[in-house]
Amino acid sequence: MKKVAIISGITGQDGAYLAQLLSRNDYVVVGLTRSSHNFSKKNFVYLGISENILIEECDLLDFSSIIKILLKYKPDEFYNLAAQSSVGISFEQPIGTLNYNTQSVLNILESVRLLQLDTKIYQASSSEMFGQVNNLPVNENTPFHPLSPYAISKASGYWIGVNYRESYKVFCVNGILFNHESYLRSPNFFVKKVIRTGLEIRKGIKNELRVGNIDVKRDFGYAPDYVRAMWLSLQQGKADDYLICSGNSVYLRDIINYTLDYLNIPLNRLVEDPTLFRPTDMADMFGDNQKAKAVLGWEYNRSFFDVLTLLIEEEDKNFK
């Protein structure tokens, strides 16, 4: 019997790379979408996995919709990657962000509990939950001090998962992923925006790269490697929480400088716009990935500038 995995948020970069990984491991992969009318298969087409995925309509805010899907497939694994995932947008839409990112997690966990399924659940948590910290690197025991509505919503989802694990013995893993990039990243995220705009400047489509605060540091990694950690976390006999990160941080300014230099674009095309600054921001953030390496057997040793080279070349090759 093939294992069955459900992935919410399957159209995003993580969902697509995870679907590819699970397909290679002979899973039946079921992807959830709120509406098939607005559903995009472009990431699946790019990875060559369109024929390997079953698509079902399911609104994670509709309890009965989740129950129906769980009864139909009785999945071995459920990867909850669906979320309003933009920090910037969360400041503009705090109520919608908090409602969706918490209620969806609660509905999934409660459905699995009521149906008494053995489904293992992966909840996509975020390094943004840590926010203001006193000591770096952060680890699984570092207290949260979220600095955005998005971070607050993810911290809430995290604690809901812990509560269901401890109170009801639901197998729920929180994967606390730090920034991770790929060609499939949405264009509103920083690294993708920098690379894409750099290519547009080089081709004469745009004149400048306009950014907010770039004198902050972040821990960046490569998405295809990070989804493997997600999968490994659900292959364990015991549910737990794991930091998935590179263990190093880099300045956003250095990422821009590297990209513009790689594309032979002068630095005077960079415009720092104070109106794009966030209301609150972390000066530096990086994590300790030793637990994931020791317990999951996960390996990650990439320099982000090596990853950046891969991303620039892939973006350039596919630029339209």
Side-chain angles (χ1 to χ4, degrees):
M1 291 285 290
K2 288 186 175 183
K3 278 189 172 182
V4 178
I6 291 177
I7 304 174
S8 66
I10 195 168
T11 57
Q13 69 161 3
D14 290 3
Y17 282 115
L18 179 60
Q20 182 185 54
L21 172 67
L22 295 174
S23 296
R24 288 172 176 171
N25 282 280
D26 207 28
Y27 278 68
V28 174
V29 180
V30 181
L32 304 185
T33 178
R34 270 183 276 187
S35 171
S36 57
H37 299 297
N38 300 319
F39 184 74
S40 172
K41 288 189 174 182
K42 65 181 179 62
N43 287 350
F44 310 146
V45 172
Y46 184 77
L47 296 179
I49 58 172
S50 296
E51 304 304 315
N52 302 345
I53 301 167
L54 302 172
I55 299 299
E56 293 276 4
E57 282 195 358
C58 179
D59 183 352
L60 296 181
L61 297 183
D62 180 358
F63 194 64
S64 63
S65 183
I66 300 171
I67 293 278
K68 178 182 171 184
I69 292 295
L70 290 175
L71 286 174
K72 181 175 180 177
Y73 289 101
K74 294 184 172 61
D76 298 278
E77 298 166 11
F78 192 121
Y79 296 86
N80 183 34
L81 311 185
Q84 191 301 95
S85 57
S86 167
V87 174
I89 290 174
S90 79
F91 282 106
E92 299 169 12
Q93 303 173 7
I95 296 171
T97 299
L98 285 159
N99 284 348
Y100 187 83
N101 290 357
T102 55
Q103 190 65 53
S104 56
V105 183
L106 186 57
N107 286 350
I108 293 165
L109 289 163
E110 182 67 1
S111 298
V112 168
R113 182 184 79 86
L114 288 177
L115 295 175
Q116 298 182 321
L117 297 176
D118 293 326
T119 304
K120 293 182 174 182
I121 298 166
Y122 174 88
Q123 168 60 18
S125 295
S126 168
S127 60
E128 291 284 336
M129 301 186 304
F130 293 112
Q132 192 69 46
V133 296
N134 296 320
N135 298 297
L136 291 172
V138 297
N139 60 35
E140 288 80 1
N141 298 314
T142 301
F144 300 149
H145 186 148
L147 295 175
S148 69
Y150 168 75
I152 293 167
S153 73
K154 279 297 183 179
S156 298
Y158 170 94
W159 285 117
I160 292 169
V162 170
N163 183 250
Y164 269 75
R165 188 169 72 212
E166 294 177 349
S167 300
Y168 305 117
K169 310 307 176 191
V170 174
F171 193 110
C172 182
V173 166
N174 284 301
I176 306 172
L177 269 64
F178 284 58
N179 301 66
H180 48 292
E181 311 301 318
S182 75
Y183 171 69
L184 301 184
R185 189 66 140 152
S186 298
N188 57 308
F189 286 92
F190 174 77
V191 173
K192 178 81 168 186
K193 173 186 173 181
V194 169
I195 296 172
R196 183 85 187 169
T197 305
L199 287 167
E200 289 171 337
I201 292 171
R202 194 180 71 176
K203 295 175 187 294
I205 300 169
K206 286 188 177 176
N207 292 319
E208 62 187 24
L209 169 61
R210 190 169 288 272
V211 297
N213 183 12
I214 55 175
D215 290 315
V216 295
K217 301 176 77 176
R218 293 291 183 269
D219 186 328
F220 287 95
Y222 191 45
D225 293 336
Y226 281 33
V227 299
R228 179 169 175 79
M230 295 180 185
W231 174 70
L232 287 170
S233 71
L234 292 196
Q235 309 316 305
Q236 309 306 308
K238 176 176 173 284
D240 207 343
D241 306 321
Y242 302 95
L243 255 68
I244 310 302
C245 56
S246 74
N248 299 288
S249 62
V250 296
Y251 277 106
L252 302 192
R253 185 179 297 277
D254 290 343
I255 290 173
I256 291 173
N257 289 346
Y258 183 92
T259 302
L260 295 184
D261 181 65
Y262 193 94
L263 296 173
N264 295 312
I265 296 168
L267 275 176
N268 62 10
R269 297 297 187 95
L270 173 63
V271 177
E272 296 174 53
D273 184 351
T275 67
L276 297 177
F277 281 36
R278 293 175 179 170
T280 53
D281 215 345
M282 301 174 282
D284 192 6
M285 176 60 68
F286 64 99
D288 179 350
N289 58 20
Q290 290 308 304
K291 181 178 177 181
K293 287 185 172 182
V295 177
L296 305 180
W298 182 60
E299 292 297 328
Y300 191 84
N301 299 298
R302 294 182 189 264
S303 155
F304 188 64
F305 292 102
D306 291 338
V307 173
L308 200 50
T309 301
L310 290 174
L311 298 181
I312 295 168
E313 291 177 351
E314 192 170 1
E315 194 73 45
D316 191 17
K317 182 178 71 174
N318 292 288
F319 189 88
K320 293 178 184 177

